[in-house]
């Protein structure tokens, strides 16, 4: 029985570190590390955190939250149900590693992760690590890591929320969290969302020289329905904590297509089912905590695109691609002396890609890929002039072995195997210059392996190239991080500069009348400055802002879709009681996205846009009832992130929340 | 309040906006009419460069994708071509293909935009999910043009004018489609697959229009090769099967010849050059007394196993001789070869080899000057003077020195009535 329990515990997996673990880690950090660290995980990391539940905006989205983070830019193609990628420090969306806790998300099919699928109602926080990330989280991504941390199973509470918004947006969600006296905890959150998405836009009909035929029309085929549920169960086990996580996401949505060629019938079905087990234990050595963690997860992903009339692609399609991923990870962190901690992380992924197209004349074969990773990190601690410092050198090697069946017509079914070793390294440093101010910097490398799509195409229109080299990057950043704890002001502020060079970027280039093929391009480089703050003034006024200025170019041209300036600012007033209402709050915010090029040749300028928002909220009945209302883009400025895909202008949102202790 | 807030923004953001490094393309009036137009494009954005009669660059971008302020579309798109033959003298006509589906008419040399014609949606343009993918434009009379539309409308309940895979007649004054010529009679079924006619390029031969047919199914696989002769007045359509050949969409007029034209069959799609060889060839088509197309001469790549396999860029330089590109293969490391073929003697000469694959586009033959222009995305526009069998390259023109857009198409801008 004991052996069985031991085997079981080894197989357990975790979607994020246990809450208690975080607390212990934080407590240790108070003593040994620079006290101004932006994260409990790594004092040298460039990371900013945002918490969905603390955001004053009604029906806040992942994209809304990402705008609050310096160096981070969401790119949307529309409203609910449309794809949203995230660019970190000007990197491509597929250069961002998205994780649920410590489990990497994403797919082998080549597409960037759609951040709009994250289960926001079940998340405690979103963390964006820009540039390098700590070894404990993995790493090696060129842009950075977006980490979604699920809510803790703390307390005994239950809640529900009804949301109403413009264009028939309807949401209904509920959550429950329970922790027993024996330490068994359960958290569950379910959300159902639907939207018609028929917002207005000006259709220029592709005749930009002729304004007489412009017409305002409603976006068609923008409907979406999605269901998301995340469940988390914790229990003490063998002096540690075991955890089971299940996340289910399903979405059915129209595929509106470019607005000058709107569709009527094309649709997309997406599903992601993730199951994870974890076990984490703490141990002390040399007066500090260490930890051991075992994680395993299984993810199955479905991506269905039905375009029976050739509305969006070059021909008709009815694809139903499946991706299965097994992930296993073991991580060990231990203080080995009074000034050194060591961390080792090993992981293994088995990915299987099963493409299917009902219109294909021949069956499309499956492909598999194995990826093993080993990482090691030293954490060196000390004092200089009475001030704390921390240095974190780390190295990581990924060994990938792909056995892929070619999708290219000429080579259909041809088995190809490719083995690659991709090393990466990072050195981070933090120095506590003042009690409230740290100097932080790092140098890091990153790698992105060619995806299945890039290596083997998509059955015709995109031809692959199995000889593609991985994209590689070298970057550095440096800056200041302040944690202010005065009577009048509390919060954090940061200012950093960064530079990144990416070599062998992979882009698709037209290779015949009907086909495009990926090629390794020359290098690109990005440098910029990012500023951010999250401050509370006299506990009444809260200010949040994120400003990013960057210059991303390749061969003397600016990279498309990268505005030089993005700025977000919000001022929120909070009153404990006002006119009989509890926790009354009101905010105004402004978002400015600078002009940017839509094309590589730098001819098409996407105009800058500035959008103002406002909202208010309050609680009543001793916190039982909450009401929030928001208006976004008050002056109906509209705009686009990607040419041809208009974003909604002025929208309204209202949420009614009910919360109660159990 | 709104104005006040917005007025503050330039103070903080003015230095952070982007601006093109190149001189803007504003359709400024030209001092004199240029002789040639070149499409330079990376398939994401495009510019129209103009050359003078000696092949020297007049402007690298008279109009480009950034000429107008961006809305949900740009001034011109990334998939832009020029008609096989400019429909009218004193006009530059630009065809914005799949997804934009617009024909733009610009007066030369004044730069006045004479009109933009949507090649689909006869109504108000509400979503119908149909993208016409116009391929070519031809002037039928002073007030009406013909437009070939490659895409079939796969909806069985599509309106009559939006059937697709057809040729439509457009009224220039109202910029609407006045008549549709159904090409479904030229569809083909083979192996259980329906190959739509997909009219591609066309030329006028007397009172008829010779139409090259792509004959592709919904997966863009190619069916049996064919061309068709259309009588736009009566609507009569005569189809000529080109046995053993496939993908016969490209057509080139023959200078000084009013009754014959060349057709390029580039062979099977989505395959290698050698696999295309058996279905690739060049055919000279003439119309018989009834206006039906007939084969006059044919050259098949299969008959010359050592010859490059033609793929695109057909230009006739005489009644017996054409030039055409044989596309290289990036995965095999082969480059485009531009060849001259005498369809009667079967002689094949390599005019030049480019330094890339899928880089040589469709050029044009200036019969008055015996000059050949060939766009080569890997180098520039090759300008040849042709004397008998000899091609003498007089210049290689970089048509996009600032924008860096590779040339894809070149066409003569007739200063006199079209041939």
């Amino acid at each position: 029985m004991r052996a069985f329990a031991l085997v079981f515990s080894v197989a357990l997996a975790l979607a994020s570190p246990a809450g208690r673990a975080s607390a212990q880690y934080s407590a240790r950090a108070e003593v040994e590390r620079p006290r101004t660290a932006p994260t409990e995980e790594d004092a040298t990391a460039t990371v900013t955190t945002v918490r969905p539940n603390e955001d004053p905006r009604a029906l806040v989205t992942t994209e809304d939250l990402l705008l609050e983070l310096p160096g981070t830019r969401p790119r949307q193609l529309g409203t609910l149900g449309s794809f949203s990628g995230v660019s970190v420090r000007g990197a491509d969306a597929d250069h961002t590693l998205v994780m649920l806790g410590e489990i990497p998300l994403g797919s082998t099919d080549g597409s960037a992760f759609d951040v709009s699928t994250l289960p926001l109602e079940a998340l405690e926080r979103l963390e964006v690590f820009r540039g390098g990330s700590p070894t404990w989280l993995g790493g090696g991504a060129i842009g950075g890591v977006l980490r979604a941390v699920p809510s803790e199973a703390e307390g005994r509470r239950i809640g529900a929320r009804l949301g109403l918004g413009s264009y028939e947006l309807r949401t209904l969600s509920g959550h429950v969290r329970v922790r027993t006296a024996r330490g068994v905890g359960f958290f569950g959150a379910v959300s159902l969302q639907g939207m018609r998405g028929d917002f207005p836009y000006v259709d220029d009909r592709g005749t930009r020289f002729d304004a007489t035929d412009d017409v305002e029309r409603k976006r068609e085929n923008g409907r979406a329905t999605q269901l998301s549920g995340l469940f988390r169960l914790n229990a003490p086990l063998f002096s540690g904590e075991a955890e089971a996580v299940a996340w289910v996401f399903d979405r059915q949505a129209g595929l509106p297509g470019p607005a000058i060629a709107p569709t009527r019938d094309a649709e997309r079905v997406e599903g992601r089912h993730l199951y994870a087990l974890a076990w984490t234990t703490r141990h002390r050595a040399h007066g500090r905590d260490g930890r051991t963690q075992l994680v395993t997860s299984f993810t199955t992903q479905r991506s269905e695109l039905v375009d029976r009339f050739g509305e969006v692609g070059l021909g008709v399609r009815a694809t139903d691609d499946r991706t299965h991923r097994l992930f296993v990870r073991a991580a060990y962190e231990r203080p080995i002396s009074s000034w050194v901690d060591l961390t080792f992380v090993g992981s293994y992924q088995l990915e299987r890609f099963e493409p299917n197209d009902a219109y294909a004349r021949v069956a499309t074969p499956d492909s598999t890929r194995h990826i093993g990773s080993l990482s090691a990190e030293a954490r060196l601690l000390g004092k200089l002039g009475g001030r704390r410092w921390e240095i974190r050198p780390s190295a990581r090697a990924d060994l990938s072995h792909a056995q892929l069946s070619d999708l290219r017509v000429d080579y259909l079914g041809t088995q190809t195997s490719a083995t690659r070793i991709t090393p990466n390294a990072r050195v981070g440093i933090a120095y506590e210059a003042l009690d409230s101010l740290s100097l932080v910097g790092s140098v890091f490398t990153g790698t992105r392996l060619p995806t299945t799509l890039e290596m083997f195409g998509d059955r015709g229109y995109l031809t692959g190239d199995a000889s593609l080299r991985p994209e590689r990057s070298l970057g550095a950043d440096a800056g200041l991080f302040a944690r202010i704890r005065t009577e009048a002001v509390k919060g954090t502020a940061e200012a950093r500069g960064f530079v990144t060079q990416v070599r062998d970027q992979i882009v698709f280039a037209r290779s015949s009348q009907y086909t495009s093929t990926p090629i390794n391009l020359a290098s690109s480089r990005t440098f910029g400055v990012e500023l951010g703050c999250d401050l509370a003034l006299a506990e009444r006024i809260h200010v949040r802002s994120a400003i990013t200025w960057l210059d991303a170019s390749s061969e003397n041209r600016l990279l498309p879709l990268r505005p030089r300036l993005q700025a977000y600012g919000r001022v929120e007033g909070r009153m404990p009681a006002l006119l009989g209402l509890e926790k009354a709050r009101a905010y105004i915010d402004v978002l400015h996205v600078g002009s940017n090029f839509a094309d590589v040749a730098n001819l098409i300028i996407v105009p800058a846009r500035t959008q103002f928002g406002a909202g208010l909220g309050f609680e009543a009945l001793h916190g039982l009832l909450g009401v929030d209302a928001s208006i976004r883009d008050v002056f109906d400025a509209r705009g686009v992130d990607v040419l041809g895909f208009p974003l909604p202008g002025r929208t309204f949102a209202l949420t009614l929340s009910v919360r109660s202790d159990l | 309040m709104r104005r006040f807030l917005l007025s503050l923004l330039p103070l903080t953001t003015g230095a952070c906006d982007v601006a093109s490094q190149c001189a803007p393309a504003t359709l400024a009036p030209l001092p004199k009419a240029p002789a040639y137009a070149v499409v330079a494009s990376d398939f994401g954005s495009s510019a129209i460069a103009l050359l003078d009669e000696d092949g020297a660059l007049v402007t690298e971008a008279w109009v480009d994708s950034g000429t107008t302020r961006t809305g949900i579309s740009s001034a011109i798109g990334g998939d832009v071509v020029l008609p096989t033959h400019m429909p009218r003298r004193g006009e530059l006509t630009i065809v914005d293909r799949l997804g934009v589906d617009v024909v733009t008419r610009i007066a030369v040399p004044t730069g006045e935009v004479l009109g933009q014609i949507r090649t689909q949606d006869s109504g108000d343009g509400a979503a119908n999910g149909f993208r016409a993918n116009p391929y070519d434009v031809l002037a039928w009379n002073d007030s009406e043009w013909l437009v070939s539309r490659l895409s079939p409308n796969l909806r069985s309940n599509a309106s009559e004018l939006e059937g697709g895979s057809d040729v439509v007649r457009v009224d220039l004054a109202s910029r609407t489609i006045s008549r549709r010529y159904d090409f479904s009679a030229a569809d083909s079924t083979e192996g259980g697959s329906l190959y739509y006619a997909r009219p591609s390029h066309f030329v006028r031969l007397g009172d008829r229009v010779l139409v090259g047919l792509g004959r592709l199914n919904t997966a863009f696989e190619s069916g049996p090769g064919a061309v068709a002769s259309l009588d736009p007045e009566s609507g009569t359509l005569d189809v000529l099967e080109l046995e053993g050949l496939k993908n016969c969409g490209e057509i080139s007029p023959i200078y000084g010849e009013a009754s014959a034209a060349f057709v390029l069959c580039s062979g099977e799609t989505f395959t290698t050059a050698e696999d295309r060889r058996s279905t690739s060839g060049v055919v000279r088509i003439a119309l018989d007394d009834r206006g039906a197309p007939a084969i006059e001469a044919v050259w098949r790549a299969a008959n010359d196993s050592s010859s490059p396999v033609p793929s695109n860029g057909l230009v006739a330089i005489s009644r017996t001789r054409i030039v055409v590109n044989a596309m290289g293969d990036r995965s095999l490391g082969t480059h485009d070869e531009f060849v001259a073929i005498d369809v009667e003697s079967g002689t094949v000469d390599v005019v030049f080899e480019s330094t890339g694959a899928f880089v040589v586009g469709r050029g044009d033959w200036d019969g008055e000057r015996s000059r050949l222009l060939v766009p080569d995305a890997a180098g520039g526009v090759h300008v040849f003077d042709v004397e008998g069998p000899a091609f003498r390259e007089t210049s290689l023109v970089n048509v996009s020195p600032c924008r860096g857009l590779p040339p894809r198409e070149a066409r003569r801008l007739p200063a006199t009535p079209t041939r």
Side-chain angles (χ1 to χ4, degrees), chain B residues 163-178:
Chain B
S165 182
D166 53 21
V167 170
V168 291
R169 196 157 164 163
V170 174
D171 181 81
L172 295 185
S174 64
R175 287 173 286 162
T176 56
I177 298 169
S178 57

Side-chain angles (χ1 to χ4, degrees), chain B residues 2-74:
Chain B
R2 179 188 182 186
R3 282 189 175 179
F4 171 72
L5 291 171
L6 293 177
S7 68
L8 294 178
L9 290 171
L11 299 177
T12 56
T13 64
C16 298
D17 284 331
V18 298
S20 178
Q21 299 173 358
C22 305
T26 60
L27 281 173
L30 301 165
K32 67 171 189 173
Y36 308 103
V38 178
V39 173
S41 174
D42 60 5
F43 302 113
S45 47
S46 307
I48 305 295
L50 300 174
L51 309 182
D52 67 15
E53 56 194 19
D54 296 322
L57 190 63
V58 174
T59 173
E60 74 167 88
W62 197 37
V63 56
D64 70 15
S65 295
T67 293
T68 62
R69 182 179 165 82
T70 308
I72 60 167
S73 64
S74 56

Side-chain angles (χ1 to χ4, degrees), chain A residues 17-268:
Chain A
R20 293 177 178 181
S22 299
Q24 290 167 14
Y25 193 76
S26 180
R28 178 196 64 183
E30 284 293 319
V31 177
E32 301 291 348
R33 69 197 310 179
R35 285 168 293 192
T36 50
T39 174
E40 298 160 357
E41 204 63 65
D42 183 352
T44 70
T46 300
V47 57
T48 310
T49 300
V50 63
R51 298 171 192 277
N53 288 331
E54 294 177 6
D55 198 283
R57 289 169 290 185
L59 295 179
V60 68
T61 64
T62 303
E63 297 86 336
D64 289 335
L65 294 169
L66 293 175
L67 288 168
E68 298 181 12
L69 305 176
T72 308
R73 170 170 157 72
R75 288 187 199 131
Q76 294 177 259
L77 296 183
T79 53
L80 180 73
S82 297
F83 177 84
S84 294
V86 57
S87 168
V88 176
R89 288 181 170 171
D92 287 333
D94 56 9
H95 288 162
T96 301
L97 174 63
V98 181
M99 306 180 76
L100 184 69
E102 273 97 31
I103 299 171
L105 304 173
S107 69
T108 56
D109 66 356
S111 53
F113 186 83
D114 184 351
V115 297
S116 72
T117 64
L118 289 174
L120 211 55
E121 67 288 340
L123 299 183
E124 180 202 324
R125 62 186 189 274
L126 288 172
E127 299 172 339
V128 174
F129 292 83
R130 305 184 294 281
S133 57
T135 290
W136 188 263
L137 296 182
I142 289 174
V145 174
L146 167 60
R147 182 177 181 228
V149 181
S151 295
E152 303 285 346
E154 293 292 342
R156 296 168 65 87
R157 290 183 68 82
I158 189 168
R161 190 178 66 183
L162 172 67
L164 303 172
S166 300
Y167 314 117
E168 298 187 22
L169 174 61
R170 308 279 186 267
T171 75
L172 181 63
S173 62
H175 70 268
V176 60
R177 61 185 77 204
V178 178
R179 184 170 285 273
T180 68
R182 293 188 171 186
V184 176
F186 173 78
F187 171 81
V190 177
S191 169
L192 176 64
Q193 294 180 288
M195 189 179 196
R196 190 173 172 85
D198 56 344
F199 59 88
Y201 69 100
V202 175
D203 182 4
D204 60 35
R205 307 181 75 194
T207 56
R208 291 300 299 163
F209 292 103
D210 182 2
T212 63
D213 65 354
D214 291 1
V215 59
E216 181 163 293
R217 66 172 81 255
K218 290 184 174 181
R219 196 80 163 108
E220 299 190 49
N221 201 21
R223 70 190 185 285
T225 306
Q226 65 186 43
L227 174 68
S228 178
L230 188 143
F231 308 95
R232 189 175 183 188
L233 180 67
N234 309 65
L237 183 69
F238 297 124
S239 69
E241 187 166 54
E243 186 164 9
V245 172
W247 175 33
V248 176
F249 174 84
D250 283 290
R251 170 189 282 170
Q252 183 164 14
L255 196 58
I260 57 167
T263 66
R264 262 191 354 206
D265 298 285
E267 67 174 10
R268 209 157 40 106

